[in-house]
Amino acid sequence: MCRAQGDAVAGRRGWRLPGTLLLLLAYVGYLLLGSTAFWALEGPAERHSAQQLLQGKWELLGNYTCLKGPALERLIQDIIKAYKSGLTLQGNSTSLGRWDFDGSFFFSISAITTIGYGNLSPSTVSAQIFCIFFALFGIPLNLILLNRIGQLMLSGVQRCAKRLGEKLRWQEAAAILTRTCALVTGLLLFLLLPPFLFSVIEGWTYAEGFYYSFVTLSTIGFGDYVIGMNPDLTYPSWYKNLVSVWILFGMAWLALVINLCITLLENSSDLCQCGKKTSKGLEQELMDCNKNCSPRPDDVENGSSKDTKPEGAN
Amino acid sequence: MCSDKILTGLLAVSYAIYLLLGAIVFRALEKNEELEQKRAVIQMKVAFLQNLAHLTEADVEQFVKNLTDAVQRGVYPVGNESQAEDSNWDLCNSFFFVAAMVSTIGYGTLCPKTVAGQIFCVFFASFGIPFTIVFLHRVSKMLFLPCERLGRCLYERGMRKKKIKFLTLLFFLVMGILVFLCLPSVVFQVMEGWSYSEGFYFAFITLSTIGFGDYVVDKQPDRNYPSYYRFLVAIWIIFGLVWIAFLFNLLTTLLEDTEKKIAQNLHKRGKAGKDNEENRKRYQPAGFVSAEEPSLLGSGDAQKTVSLAAHLGDAKQVETIFSL
């Protein structure tokens, strides 16, 4: 039985790897496809917007002694519109290049992760329609990838718990210990430490960085703070890539934690409903995790609802 | 059954109270700060207009820079002094801000600027987002009633199960697209003055919880909105979120199946041999979940992860509803 298990594990891992790599490749490829499309669709419109804004400003400079209220209001509206498409006035030019490849790539990420900052958003009709279809298939793709990452995290934690349990000869305590550790590590790595990085590179305060981290990872994505958008700063080349990786893993981790909260909430709200087969109590699940791979009759039934319960993130 | 309805009602009421409390707190935290900033910017603007004759070009440059800064900070210097007293953080707007936040749509047209507001936002959403998911999960059961009824009707007429499944699914998709995407776009076209494609784009971006914030309903100052407008939009968002969650769930399952097939093909080519055949046989059947090896066989795993839209879909539920 042990040997068969071992073989099975190896076989499964061997099977998993192409699957996960393929998924990652597909994901990155999809993002690249999107970035190219947005770059092509929005670039020209952006240049036009920039020209309009500059012209408005020159008119203002030329005529300011004869300026009336309405003209100023118009300029303000132009500034607002330009800001929404990611342009800002800088001296005699505008900060062009928001819809360059980099910007489009980040926009594609913000779309399919459903963060949706909005500091950059498509203004042409064709880009908007493309955005709809791009997100329609991109969001499920993103969900699958995040789920895969979450499962990898969970299985890692469970493996650690098992090994620790073997050393301590006390499975339950090991389980609780590893899960608490995992939760704390996740908290540090994804929510408490990144604000330091942001305060160094972006110049935000710690609280602002923390707020930004949470808003991003929970996919709320207000867009009031966005990394890499300050035209006065120069960013190191690894910065945006690191942040993208952080977003991916952080979202997977936060999803696991939110899953846990939901399990708790739904368990407490289902208490009044007897006779309904709900997910087992949390303790029961903890015990289950420690058992080896032996399918139980009710597992088969609850199959798909059981395995991504965040026992590992407890 | 009765207790189920009572429970759902209780849940809805407590959810509404939670949002209301959040709205009140945000309003208290943010209103003064916003009014101050707005006043400052508008004063600057007024001063500029009054002093036109005495300004140099450099002054004008500086003024434009200040305007740009203000816009970047989210304070829009439109209007004149009297409008500086209208805060964006009245109770109604706060409530919709809170709702947009816990549904993770997060438009960003209104966001907390004070430190206290931002920190409160983090903790409020940490509980609010799971709460919202639980609430919408309950709502989803209501949404499926018409499909179930249709299915039962067809079953009584003697249609085969597979065909019923296909038809109810089709009904669900088509009706959903009409009711949640096409119809609202027409409404927005009339009420907001957008084009049809803009309305459709807004509808999709909102319901998928992306929420860019480039288009937002009920925000144009020069239009008159009927009093029930916001209420209708809220209802639309609630049910639309649920519907689109299931749509994404279907697409996820589809993509996962495709990925499984491709991965299986790769595996076949990569490792030939009897051992591997045996391993594959051991792990294929659905539902065998080992504590060590989280199941690859999706069948709806992916929707358990992040994103409001994702979490609501439950493959088992979809299956039971569409197959009687």
Side-chain angles (χ1 to χ4, degrees), chain B residues 43-81:
Chain B
Q43 266 175 5
M44 172 187 75
K45 207 174 85 175
V46 166
F48 174 76
L49 278 177
Q50 282 175 343
N51 287 348
L52 280 176
H54 310 288
L55 292 171
T56 65
E57 218 173 89
D59 287 333
V60 178
E61 289 264 6
Q62 181 61 36
F63 172 68
V64 173
K65 187 164 188 303
N66 288 344
L67 280 178
T68 314
D69 280 340
V71 170
Q72 277 175 337
R73 268 181 294 127
V75 185
Y76 289 179
V78 287
N80 50 26
E81 258 171 315

Side-chain angles (χ1 to χ4, degrees), chain B residues 66 174 224:
Chain B
N66 288 344
V174 170
N224 272 329

Side-chain angles (χ1 to χ4, degrees), chain A residues 8 57 64 73 83 88 107 114-115 121 128 146 148 158 219 225 255 259 266 269 273 289 293 301, chain B residues 4 7 45 52 55 61 72 104 118 137 201 209-212 214-215 259 283 290-291 304 306 311 316:
Chain A
K57 189 186 154 197
Y64 64 87
E73 294 293 323
Y83 172 69
T88 46
F107 170 77
T114 77
I115 296 177
S121 54
Q128 287 175 351
L146 286 181
R148 189 63 54 82
Q158 283 167 357
T219 79
Y225 295 91
N259 258 322
E266 285 198 326
S269 81
Q273 300 205 14
C289 275
C293 42
E301 207 177 299
Chain B
D4 193 28
L7 210 64
K45 207 174 85 175
L52 280 176
L55 292 171
E61 289 264 6
Q72 277 175 337
T104 78
Q118 291 171 349
H137 203 210
Y201 167 74
T209 79
I210 297 178
F212 284 130
D214 45 356
Y215 295 91
E259 188 232 343
Y283 278 97
S290 71
K304 292 286 190 289
V306 74
H311 197 92
K316 289 190 106 41

Side-chain angles (χ1 to χ4, degrees), chain A residues 256-272:
Chain A
L256 288 176
V257 173
I258 288 184
N259 258 322
L260 175 69
C261 292
I262 292 172
T263 318
L264 288 173
L265 276 173
E266 285 198 326
N267 277 344
S268 62
S269 81
D270 284 340
L271 278 176
C272 313

Side-chain angles (χ1 to χ4, degrees), chain A residues 102-124:
Chain A
D102 234 9
S104 306
F105 189 77
F106 212 64
F107 170 77
S108 307
I109 292 182
S110 82
I112 66 176
T113 51
T114 77
I115 296 177
Y117 285 124
N119 65 323
L120 205 56
S121 54
S123 51
T124 60

